[in-house]
Amino acid sequence: MQGQVGLEAGAPFPRKPTHQVAVRYQDRTVLVGGRAPIVVQSMTDTLTADVKATSHQVSLLARAGSELVRITVNTPEAAKAVPAIREELDKQGCDVPLVGDFHYNGHQLLTQYPECAEALSKYRINPGNVGRGGQKAGHFAMMIETACRYDRPVRIGVNWGSLDQSVLERLRAENSAKGNPLPADLVMRQALVASAVESADEAVKLGLPAEKVILSCKVSSVQDLIAVNRMLSDRCRYALHLGLTEAGGGSKGIVASSAGLAVLLQEGIGDTIRISLTPEPGEARTKEVLVAQTLLQSMGLRSFSPQLISCPGCGRTTSERFRELAHNTQQYLQEQGTVWRERYPGVENLKVAVMGCIVNGPGESRHADIGISLPGTGESPAAVVYADGVKAATLRGKDIEGRFQQMIAEYIEMHYGKQVHPGMKAS
């Protein structure tokens, strides 16, 4: 995706107003916050010092639709590798902005390796392990000063697994002095929010504009995620990054992340998201990008690729035939999606239906842009295709799947190609 990432949200419900942050690399600008659509981001799990492996995974994530990709910068070797990773991505024509993830020694790495600081488009700082008070106060200031020097935005990311203990102890002391102290878990939530907002305000005092600050408060509980980000949204207008940390893998990680993020997004809270999944053995890292896109598209917040509508099947459906057609159609849409988006603007809004029998099949197929209704068990062996609510064809024989995919391609060419054609005629 080239140029700016959307200037208008087009959301079905109002978003909480936040400062808009521009994350840039060369001619590519990704806007976070304000009226910009919610941005999808991801993170590599390769050893950053391995230039080949890291640049390859960054490229895969970017091609899957990640608009920002974060890489770990934790050692001198990793810092030295960042410019080479950027160079390799440029050779591949991949202009996705890179975000550097710093913990503990970020102040040293950013100052000792200026080529790394310059190659990154954004820095992520955790105030819990960089520190703003005591002896560590200068470390935080050094990182912010580097961001100002290179005109880079910063995400100040607070995590309850590495919370700034000075903030927590202060709030606990204040709470204990009250006649009616608050529960410990509520104090913890308040400490997360206080650490994020106070760190952001300190960064602004050090010269970093509010339009270059993104905040996040990461927790591993759905209810804590919702409560903390509601508090955070009420306390500031900084752009907000949402994500459930340590979400887990498989269906648990997907469901937990979606449950928490969906509530906040429905309330207009959140400007950029990551679905932090633990990959299953052999599973592609890009799955977290697909889940994030599917969440936003299911909520009507953004459109990324043609969507499949299919029934769950029941005793009326010819199960294997229906399942195979639904699965293979979904794969076809995903595989062709990137090519179609480049050639056919607006194709990401396409809805394709695959239905299993005559009960709801024809009706659901008519509601989709193009859909197919298979015959149920014992029904006439003919699959009816509808386009724009009108019967377009009746398919019989062994290659129903291939002919249906061909009709999808023809529909896209007619409706999203340069030449606009009338709807497909019924046969």
Side-chain angles (χ1 to χ4, degrees), residues 53-73:
T54 302
S55 58
H56 177 66
Q57 191 174 88
V58 170
S59 180
L60 290 177
L61 290 166
R63 287 204 300 270
S66 183
E67 293 154 325
L68 298 173
V69 178
R70 184 158 44 112
I71 59 177
T72 297
V73 187

Side-chain angles (χ1 to χ4, degrees), residues 411-423:
Y411 182 96
I412 291 171
E413 175 62 34
M414 286 192 293
H415 288 71
Y416 298 97
K418 292 182 179 179
Q419 179 65 39
V420 178
H421 295 271

Side-chain angles (χ1 to χ4, degrees), residues 399-416:
D399 193 27
I400 288 177
E401 178 184 309
R403 291 158 68 192
F404 181 53
Q405 289 181 4
Q406 182 180 352
M407 292 187 71
I408 293 173
E410 291 172 352
Y411 182 96
I412 291 171
E413 175 62 34
M414 286 192 293
H415 288 71
Y416 298 97

Side-chain angles (χ1 to χ4, degrees), residues 252-272:
K252 187 270 179 185
I254 293 172
V255 171
S257 293
S258 298
L261 268 61
V263 171
L264 293 166
L265 294 171
Q266 185 74 18
E267 296 177 3
I269 298 172
D271 302 294
T272 176

Side-chain angles (χ1 to χ4, degrees), residues 5-288:
V5 177
L7 292 173
E8 296 186 8
F13 34 82
R15 296 264 299 282
K16 294 287 185 70
T18 57
H19 300 298
Q20 188 168 89
V21 180
V23 186
R24 296 187 174 93
Y25 179 67
Q26 294 184 345
D27 295 332
R28 174 92 176 264
T29 300
V30 178
L31 298 177
V32 179
R35 297 180 62 221
I38 296 162
V39 171
V40 172
Q41 59 180 283
S42 60
M43 185 175 183
T44 60
D45 62 356
T46 55
L47 188 67
T48 304
D50 187 335
V51 174
K52 183 177 179 180
T54 302
S55 58
H56 177 66
Q57 191 174 88
V58 170
S59 180
L60 290 177
L61 290 166
R63 287 204 300 270
S66 183
E67 293 154 325
L68 298 173
V69 178
R70 184 158 44 112
I71 59 177
T72 297
V73 187
N74 58 335
T75 63
E77 292 75 20
K80 292 176 184 177
V82 171
I85 292 168
R86 182 73 270 174
E87 183 179 351
E88 180 60 31
L89 291 170
D90 291 346
K91 290 178 182 177
Q92 299 175 26
C94 179
D95 62 353
V96 66
L98 291 177
V99 181
D101 190 68
F102 295 97
H103 296 270
Y104 306 108
N105 60 352
H107 58 293
Q108 296 173 332
L109 297 177
L110 283 172
T111 52
Q112 293 174 8
Y113 301 94
E115 297 85 0
C116 169
E118 192 166 8
L120 294 168
S121 296
K122 178 168 158 275
Y123 312 146
R124 190 268 181 153
I125 303 174
N126 184 340
N129 51 43
V130 171
R132 291 188 302 108
Q135 295 180 344
K136 291 185 177 181
H139 300 173
F140 181 82
M142 288 171 66
M143 297 186 75
I144 298 302
E145 287 164 3
T146 301
C148 293
R149 184 179 311 121
Y150 293 102
D151 193 30
R152 298 294 192 263
V154 168
R155 171 160 74 94
I156 297 175
V158 177
N159 191 304
W160 73 347
S162 53
L163 179 60
D164 187 336
Q165 292 302 299
S166 64
V167 175
L168 181 58
E169 290 170 7
R170 186 189 81 214
L171 293 185
R172 281 176 174 170
E174 293 174 358
N175 185 55
S176 297
K178 295 179 180 178
N180 186 21
L182 299 171
D185 60 342
L186 181 54
V187 177
M188 171 68 83
R189 292 173 180 175
Q190 291 177 339
L192 284 163
V193 173
S195 179
V197 175
E198 291 173 10
S199 297
D201 291 345
E202 179 67 19
V204 172
K205 289 180 182 177
L206 289 168
L208 191 68
E211 292 77 17
K212 289 193 176 298
V213 177
I214 298 173
L215 294 187
S216 68
C217 286
K218 293 290 191 74
V219 295
S220 56
S221 159
V222 171
Q223 295 301 331
D224 283 321
L225 177 75
I226 295 169
V228 165
N229 280 279
R230 282 173 174 166
M231 294 167 61
L232 186 60
S233 179
D234 286 341
R235 279 198 56 176
C236 71
R237 290 193 60 178
Y238 296 112
L240 301 184
H241 168 75
L242 302 183
L244 190 70
T245 191
E246 295 109 22
S251 59
K252 187 270 179 185
I254 293 172
V255 171
S257 293
S258 298
L261 268 61
V263 171
L264 293 166
L265 294 171
Q266 185 74 18
E267 296 177 3
I269 298 172
D271 302 294
T272 176
I273 66 171
R274 182 194 172 201
I275 304 294
S276 300
L277 295 179
T278 303
E280 302 287 341
E283 186 176 63
R285 186 71 169 178
T286 53
K287 185 172 182 178
E288 67 176 52

